[in-house]
Amino acid sequence: MPSAETTPASPHEPESVRSAVAEPVQPTREDEVAAAGSELIGGPLGRHALLGASWWTPVRAVALVAIGLFALGLVQKAPCYNSAWFFGASSQYTHACYSDIPHLYQGRGFADDLVPYFDKLPGDMDYLEYPVLTGLFMEVASWLTPHSGSIQHQERWYWFVNAGMLMVCTAVIAVCVARTHRRRPWDALLVALAPAFALTATINWDLLAVALTAAAMLMWSRGRAVAFGVLLGLATAAKLYPFLLLGPLLVLCWRAGKWRAFFRALAGAVGAWLVVNLPVMLTHDATGFHIREGWAKFYTFSKERGVDFGSFWLIWAQNSSDPPTIGFVNNAATVLVVLCFLGIAALAFTAPRRPRFAQLAFLMVAAFVLTNKVYSPQYVLWLVPLAVLARPKWRDFLIWQACEVAYFLGIWMYLAYTTSGDAHKGLPTQGYHWVIVVHLLGTLYLCAVVVRDILMPERDVVRGSGDDDPSGGVLDGAADAFALGAPAGPPARAARFGAPQVDWGRPGTPPADDRPL
């Protein structure tokens, strides 16, 4: 696969366009926060710097930074793998180093060599409550874990093995984001340096689905619809949220008239999901084929699960004498997500320029997160790559990350408070409600600036560099086949914000004298 910084442009494009496409956008030259932060390593890149003359290409540098920050996240968990996971009910919360991974090694039967979805578990959870591909990931990690010594020793090893596998997922995410926008590989530093990413990476197994989704986005940006669909189907077999990306893709392909690409992607996604799930999903007896109870556990558990951490539903339930029922919350959350999707679809059809795929993908997943009945702290991982592709602006990204770090600390302090008995160490209920509000407001803020970019495309950082939709694949530079809005405003409006106007219907680039230095 060609690197992000050396991918050639079409030989039929003018020389000015080819040179612009080949030259990566430097964040330190166009983003004031990135420029200020670069002072720690010598300052912004100079205009006469030799790009591409070193082994340290953007993609390699981003991948190594991501691995380095992931390793720091492992160090942050040190108090837990030394003792807090095993001794003291609240110490893993006061040290903010909790992880599901070691606890579920025994709790989900891996220590006893039980087969996920086939063998029934002792205790309250009768089967593994994760999608099939995540269950396979967990099972492979258990195969690589020494099944000898004390259970604490085995659980430590299980966490370390999973951490190594999740580190690979982290590197894949960083590389895919760096290569998705050909001219903007350095934007992936936002993923690599995201504090909430490092803090939550090993809480659960979400990074597997995030890595597959990032790889799918890369394939779509290269015009490979079937590969996109296959990877998205695999991602959905690991976590439910990736299938949401098909909604924004549907409305964008509708507006651009790219139905063939959409249906190829849809077929790839459905086919890949079925290939993974059918062998576990169906069981056969004398009366015919049936849905296996163990396979269905993820879906039944999701439906039956009550209002839980991190959601505005929890604030309602804990402040009401008549809290909402599970059935009401399930139905209301579904209605809210559908309304959000309809709103996003209306935005896509009425925007002055067709929105970028990453923008709508971020908005859709964010809407699901905001309306869901639970928000575990690792769910931020779903949004980080999409946020970077949708709004690669350091100030806005860091504001959002600050809110997510506050929530990360808040949930553990709240759990410390509820598990420390009369000592009441940590954050009381009302304080926890405030950090939930902070998380919700931070995500809503990022959604608001993305919507503003869609309605005012001259404010879009990516399009301000002269691109159309670099993650859009067949949508990039395509003319509209169906739209309800007025065309984009005149160039004078864009010039007011210091952004070049790119002609609608084909990728463009600012004149050489006007390009950012």
Tab-separated table of all heavy atoms in Angstrom, residues 34-69:
chain	number	residue	atom	x	y	z
A	34	ALA	N	-1.371	23.415	17.546
A	34	ALA	CA	-0.304	22.497	17.173
A	34	ALA	C	1.031	23.223	17.078
A	34	ALA	O	2.073	22.703	17.494
A	34	ALA	CB	-0.626	21.829	15.837
A	35	ALA	N	1.008	24.448	16.549
A	35	ALA	CA	2.252	25.230	16.451
A	35	ALA	C	2.797	25.554	17.832
A	35	ALA	O	4.011	25.435	18.083
A	35	ALA	CB	1.991	26.514	15.665
A	36	ALA	N	1.914	25.923	18.757
A	36	ALA	CA	2.367	26.236	20.112
A	36	ALA	C	2.907	24.994	20.805
A	36	ALA	O	3.945	25.033	21.483
A	36	ALA	CB	1.219	26.831	20.916
A	37	GLY	N	2.230	23.861	20.632
A	37	GLY	CA	2.697	22.631	21.248
A	37	GLY	C	4.014	22.144	20.678
A	37	GLY	O	4.811	21.506	21.380
A	38	SER	N	4.280	22.456	19.415
A	38	SER	CA	5.530	22.005	18.790
A	38	SER	C	6.759	22.682	19.377
A	38	SER	O	7.881	22.232	19.143
A	38	SER	CB	5.476	22.260	17.280
A	38	SER	OG	5.530	23.651	16.996
A	39	GLU	N	6.570	23.760	20.143
A	39	GLU	CA	7.711	24.417	20.772
A	39	GLU	C	8.449	23.476	21.718
A	39	GLU	O	9.634	23.652	21.996
A	39	GLU	CB	7.247	25.664	21.537
A	39	GLU	CG	6.667	26.771	20.659
A	39	GLU	CD	7.685	27.375	19.708
A	39	GLU	OE1	8.904	27.217	19.955
A	39	GLU	OE2	7.264	27.997	18.710
A	40	LEU	N	7.739	22.459	22.209
A	40	LEU	CA	8.371	21.494	23.102
A	40	LEU	C	9.401	20.632	22.380
A	40	LEU	O	10.296	20.051	23.021
A	40	LEU	CB	7.310	20.589	23.730
A	40	LEU	CG	6.269	21.285	24.624
A	40	LEU	CD1	5.188	20.294	25.035
A	40	LEU	CD2	6.949	21.867	25.861
A	41	ILE	N	9.287	20.539	21.056
A	41	ILE	CA	10.226	19.712	20.297
A	41	ILE	C	10.960	20.526	19.240
A	41	ILE	O	11.394	19.992	18.216
A	41	ILE	CB	9.502	18.518	19.632
A	41	ILE	CG1	8.339	18.998	18.752
A	41	ILE	CG2	8.997	17.544	20.679
A	41	ILE	CD1	7.696	17.903	17.933
A	42	GLY	N	11.060	21.821	19.445
A	42	GLY	CA	11.868	22.637	18.547
A	42	GLY	C	11.129	23.640	17.713
A	42	GLY	O	11.742	24.387	16.961
A	43	GLY	N	9.788	23.669	17.799
A	43	GLY	CA	9.037	24.669	17.071
A	43	GLY	C	8.447	24.153	15.778
A	43	GLY	O	8.714	23.022	15.353
A	44	PRO	N	7.614	24.973	15.120
A	44	PRO	CA	6.968	24.573	13.867
A	44	PRO	C	7.973	24.252	12.774
A	44	PRO	O	9.102	24.740	12.771
A	44	PRO	CB	6.123	25.794	13.498
A	44	PRO	CG	5.966	26.560	14.771
A	44	PRO	CD	7.223	26.316	15.551
A	45	LEU	N	7.513	23.430	11.835
A	45	LEU	CA	8.336	23.057	10.691
A	45	LEU	C	8.599	24.274	9.813
A	45	LEU	O	7.678	25.027	9.494
A	45	LEU	CB	7.620	21.977	9.883
A	45	LEU	CG	8.435	21.222	8.832
A	45	LEU	CD1	9.471	20.339	9.504
A	45	LEU	CD2	7.496	20.362	7.987
A	46	GLY	N	9.834	24.485	9.431
A	46	GLY	CA	10.176	25.628	8.581
A	46	GLY	C	9.767	25.418	7.146
A	46	GLY	O	9.590	24.296	6.681
A	47	ARG	N	9.654	26.538	6.415
A	47	ARG	CA	9.186	26.443	5.042
A	47	ARG	C	10.196	25.770	4.123
A	47	ARG	O	9.851	25.285	3.053
A	47	ARG	CB	8.819	27.829	4.504
A	47	ARG	CG	10.000	28.713	4.142
A	47	ARG	CD	9.539	29.940	3.370
A	47	ARG	NE	8.645	30.759	4.189
A	47	ARG	CZ	7.633	31.445	3.669
A	47	ARG	NH1	7.379	31.393	2.395
A	47	ARG	NH2	6.882	32.191	4.450
A	48	HIS	N	11.471	25.720	4.532
A	48	HIS	CA	12.497	25.105	3.688
A	48	HIS	C	12.880	23.711	4.179
A	48	HIS	O	13.890	23.157	3.747
A	48	HIS	CB	13.741	25.990	3.644
A	48	HIS	CG	13.481	27.353	3.060
A	48	HIS	ND1	13.077	27.537	1.756
A	48	HIS	CD2	13.543	28.596	3.622
A	48	HIS	CE1	12.917	28.835	1.519
A	48	HIS	NE2	13.178	29.500	2.642
A	49	ALA	N	12.093	23.142	5.098
A	49	ALA	CA	12.407	21.804	5.611
A	49	ALA	C	12.293	20.781	4.489
A	49	ALA	O	11.446	20.879	3.602
A	49	ALA	CB	11.442	21.442	6.734
A	50	LEU	N	13.188	19.791	4.518
A	50	LEU	CA	13.186	18.739	3.514
A	50	LEU	C	12.224	17.641	3.961
A	50	LEU	O	12.487	16.901	4.908
A	50	LEU	CB	14.594	18.159	3.333
A	50	LEU	CG	15.632	19.111	2.742
A	50	LEU	CD1	16.996	18.447	2.700
A	50	LEU	CD2	15.217	19.537	1.344
A	51	LEU	N	11.066	17.553	3.298
A	51	LEU	CA	10.076	16.561	3.646
A	51	LEU	C	10.349	15.274	2.886
A	51	LEU	O	10.718	15.285	1.719
A	51	LEU	CB	8.677	17.080	3.305
A	51	LEU	CG	8.276	18.384	4.005
A	51	LEU	CD1	6.910	18.825	3.507
A	51	LEU	CD2	8.273	18.221	5.507
A	52	GLY	N	10.162	14.130	3.559
A	52	GLY	CA	10.347	12.842	2.909
A	52	GLY	C	11.785	12.439	2.746
A	52	GLY	O	12.074	11.463	2.063
A	53	ALA	N	12.731	13.184	3.353
A	53	ALA	CA	14.142	12.858	3.197
A	53	ALA	C	14.675	12.040	4.352
A	53	ALA	O	15.865	11.823	4.460
A	53	ALA	CB	14.958	14.150	3.073
A	54	SER	N	13.817	11.559	5.233
A	54	SER	CA	14.235	10.829	6.420
A	54	SER	C	13.444	9.544	6.533
A	54	SER	O	12.357	9.398	5.963
A	54	SER	CB	14.014	11.697	7.668
A	54	SER	OG	14.153	10.942	8.852
A	55	TRP	N	14.016	8.583	7.285
A	55	TRP	CA	13.291	7.352	7.581
A	55	TRP	C	12.029	7.655	8.369
A	55	TRP	O	11.046	6.928	8.289
A	55	TRP	CB	14.191	6.422	8.392
A	55	TRP	CG	13.559	5.087	8.685
A	55	TRP	CD1	13.577	3.973	7.908
A	55	TRP	CD2	12.791	4.742	9.863
A	55	TRP	NE1	12.873	2.944	8.516
A	55	TRP	CE2	12.385	3.393	9.728
A	55	TRP	CE3	12.415	5.435	11.004
A	55	TRP	CZ2	11.631	2.730	10.684
A	55	TRP	CZ3	11.655	4.782	11.963
A	55	TRP	CH2	11.273	3.443	11.801
A	56	TRP	N	12.028	8.778	9.124
A	56	TRP	CA	10.898	9.131	9.977
A	56	TRP	C	9.781	9.745	9.151
A	56	TRP	O	9.546	10.944	9.164
A	56	TRP	CB	11.341	10.105	11.072
A	56	TRP	CG	12.199	9.451	12.092
A	56	TRP	CD1	13.551	9.478	12.179
A	56	TRP	CD2	11.738	8.647	13.183
A	56	TRP	NE1	13.981	8.744	13.248
A	56	TRP	CE2	12.884	8.219	13.893
A	56	TRP	CE3	10.488	8.249	13.635
A	56	TRP	CZ2	12.797	7.413	15.015
A	56	TRP	CZ3	10.408	7.441	14.754
A	56	TRP	CH2	11.552	7.035	15.427
A	57	THR	N	9.092	8.902	8.392
A	57	THR	CA	7.928	9.366	7.654
A	57	THR	C	6.799	9.649	8.643
A	57	THR	O	6.808	9.145	9.772
A	57	THR	CB	7.476	8.309	6.648
A	57	THR	OG1	7.089	7.136	7.368
A	57	THR	CG2	8.584	7.975	5.664
A	58	PRO	N	5.797	10.437	8.248
A	58	PRO	CA	4.683	10.717	9.162
A	58	PRO	C	4.006	9.466	9.699
A	58	PRO	O	3.698	9.380	10.882
A	58	PRO	CB	3.742	11.559	8.301
A	58	PRO	CG	4.624	12.240	7.319
A	58	PRO	CD	5.705	11.246	7.006
A	59	VAL	N	3.776	8.477	8.828
A	59	VAL	CA	3.067	7.278	9.264
A	59	VAL	C	3.874	6.528	10.313
A	59	VAL	O	3.335	6.081	11.336
A	59	VAL	CB	2.751	6.369	8.059
A	59	VAL	CG1	2.192	5.027	8.511
A	59	VAL	CG2	1.758	7.052	7.125
A	60	ARG	N	5.165	6.388	10.096
A	60	ARG	CA	6.002	5.677	11.074
A	60	ARG	C	6.081	6.437	12.388
A	60	ARG	O	6.013	5.840	13.477
A	60	ARG	CB	7.402	5.477	10.495
A	60	ARG	CG	7.464	4.470	9.361
A	60	ARG	CD	8.807	4.485	8.663
A	60	ARG	NE	8.861	3.504	7.587
A	60	ARG	CZ	9.802	3.473	6.650
A	60	ARG	NH1	10.770	4.391	6.663
A	60	ARG	NH2	9.776	2.552	5.719
A	61	ALA	N	6.228	7.747	12.294
A	61	ALA	CA	6.316	8.551	13.510
A	61	ALA	C	5.020	8.461	14.308
A	61	ALA	O	5.034	8.293	15.539
A	61	ALA	CB	6.627	10.003	13.152
A	62	VAL	N	3.890	8.555	13.632
A	62	VAL	CA	2.598	8.484	14.314
A	62	VAL	C	2.418	7.125	14.977
A	62	VAL	O	1.955	7.026	16.130
A	62	VAL	CB	1.457	8.765	13.317
A	62	VAL	CG1	0.119	8.342	13.891
A	62	VAL	CG2	1.424	10.244	12.947
A	63	ALA	N	2.767	6.048	14.276
A	63	ALA	CA	2.617	4.706	14.844
A	63	ALA	C	3.463	4.534	16.101
A	63	ALA	O	2.991	3.977	17.109
A	63	ALA	CB	2.993	3.655	13.803
A	64	LEU	N	4.696	5.020	16.068
A	64	LEU	CA	5.567	4.880	17.236
A	64	LEU	C	5.081	5.734	18.402
A	64	LEU	O	5.159	5.323	19.565
A	64	LEU	CB	7.007	5.237	16.859
A	64	LEU	CG	7.701	4.222	15.952
A	64	LEU	CD1	9.074	4.724	15.526
A	64	LEU	CD2	7.830	2.871	16.655
A	65	VAL	N	4.580	6.924	18.116
A	65	VAL	CA	4.022	7.755	19.188
A	65	VAL	C	2.804	7.077	19.805
A	65	VAL	O	2.634	7.066	21.035
A	65	VAL	CB	3.656	9.153	18.651
A	65	VAL	CG1	2.874	9.943	19.699
A	65	VAL	CG2	4.910	9.921	18.267
A	66	ALA	N	1.960	6.489	18.974
A	66	ALA	CA	0.772	5.800	19.483
A	66	ALA	C	1.164	4.636	20.383
A	66	ALA	O	0.569	4.434	21.458
A	66	ALA	CB	-0.088	5.303	18.316
A	67	ILE	N	2.163	3.869	19.983
A	67	ILE	CA	2.618	2.749	20.812
A	67	ILE	C	3.222	3.265	22.121
A	67	ILE	O	3.003	2.694	23.194
A	67	ILE	CB	3.641	1.895	20.029
A	67	ILE	CG1	2.928	1.172	18.881
A	67	ILE	CG2	4.336	0.894	20.944
A	67	ILE	CD1	3.859	0.470	17.923
A	68	GLY	N	3.962	4.371	22.039
A	68	GLY	CA	4.545	4.953	23.241
A	68	GLY	C	3.498	5.415	24.238
A	68	GLY	O	3.608	5.150	25.446
A	69	LEU	N	2.456	6.089	23.755
A	69	LEU	CA	1.385	6.529	24.661
A	69	LEU	C	0.588	5.356	25.189
A	69	LEU	O	0.142	5.364	26.345
A	69	LEU	CB	0.476	7.515	23.939
A	69	LEU	CG	0.814	8.997	24.124
A	69	LEU	CD1	0.526	9.451	25.560
A	69	LEU	CD2	2.263	9.309	23.755
